[in-house]
Amino acid sequence: MRNNLVLLSAVLLFGAAGACSRALVWQPYADMSGDFSSEIPASWTSIDDPDLKRRPVGVVAFLGEMKAQDEGNPLGALIQVSRVTRGPSEMPAGEKARQAYAKAWLASPDRLFKGRVESLPVDAQKGLPKVSEVLLGAKTARTYEREYEHFNAAHMPRPVPMKLVDVVVRTDKAYYVIEYRATRDLFEKHRPVFERFLKSFAFGPSA
């Protein structure tokens, strides 16, 4: 996966300006596991595992305009769909491994759905802003936006200002996190792509 990111990053760094100046051509996308479908511009490249159910945490990402990269991690404009299993049969084997998995992956979304939206506290330590409720693919979702700085002292001369939107859905089987993140100077430019991605998003029968 990391090698794929490096190659895609190199291509997108050189081709981003021309691609973004042309009119977007939209195409349908369907996850191989049948969990979701949506629309994405043809110029946005699909990366990572196309089947969200191969691991306890499966990720599909779509890479748009590039600004830079950090050890193969793209810093630009990216839409990412993550499936975090809630089913015991899909979790790691062993009690300690399951506890570690729950702490790392389930604690934050569990907290988002702990109570009514208006009763959820703001977590200043993690920078979690006000949460609101929306519909995604006919399912109730909780969403928030936040700004942060990406910095790796070993490979980057200075922090890169970033911004993201998370839309989180809880089903009987998993949490689905649909995220749009971009450098702050590109965030509004590509936000319409994310909005159409959300508008065309549909869950499959296996979600």
Side-chain angles (χ1 to χ4, degrees):
M1 170 180 145
R2 179 173 170 180
N3 290 337
N4 289 343
L5 284 172
V6 172
L7 290 172
L8 286 168
S9 298
V11 172
L12 289 167
L13 279 168
F14 285 102
C20 289
S21 65
R22 296 191 294 269
L24 293 177
V25 176
W26 291 84
Q27 61 185 16
Y29 177 90
D31 171 58
M32 287 178 61
S33 66
D35 275 21
F36 81 93
S37 62
S38 190
E39 294 180 350
I40 195 75
S43 57
W44 286 54
T45 308
S46 173
I47 58 177
D48 297 319
D49 194 334
D51 186 347
L52 287 183
K53 290 185 177 175
R54 292 195 185 209
R55 301 182 292 270
V57 180
V59 178
V60 175
F62 305 93
L63 211 57
E65 184 173 356
M66 288 291 302
K67 293 285 285 188
Q69 60 177 318
D70 171 25
E71 294 189 285
N73 295 316
L75 301 175
L78 182 142
I79 295 173
Q80 179 172 291
V81 181
S82 303
R83 179 187 185 273
V84 181
T85 188
R86 300 178 66 228
S89 64
E90 295 180 329
M91 290 185 186
E95 186 60 28
K96 288 186 177 180
R98 290 193 179 197
Q99 289 179 2
Y101 170 81
K103 182 178 180 180
W105 295 103
L106 297 179
S108 293
D110 280 347
R111 187 173 179 277
L112 273 181
F113 287 86
K114 189 173 183 179
R116 296 167 58 110
V117 166
E118 54 270 23
S119 70
L120 294 174
V122 173
D123 188 338
Q125 183 177 356
K126 293 184 179 180
L128 184 66
K130 182 177 176 60
V131 178
S132 58
E133 200 161 272
V134 296
L135 283 178
L136 179 68
K139 296 182 184 293
T140 300
R142 297 194 169 179
T143 183
Y144 60 87
E145 297 185 17
R146 69 179 178 90
E147 295 183 348
Y148 67 100
E149 299 209 331
H150 181 100
F151 185 55
N152 184 338
H155 301 94
M156 302 172 66
R158 64 186 65 85
V160 176
M162 304 286 293
K163 188 173 182 179
L164 67 76
V165 181
D166 278 343
V167 180
V168 186
V169 173
R170 180 176 62 184
T171 71
D172 291 339
K173 298 177 182 178
Y175 283 113
Y176 291 84
V177 184
I178 296 85
E179 180 173 288
Y180 167 54
R181 66 177 181 266
T183 53
R184 282 180 216 170
D185 60 332
L186 293 179
F187 188 84
E188 293 301 330
K189 176 181 179 180
H190 294 286
R191 187 164 191 161
V193 171
F194 181 59
E195 291 174 349
R196 176 159 172 173
F197 184 84
L198 293 179
K199 187 175 181 179
S200 59
F201 193 97
F203 284 100
S206 64

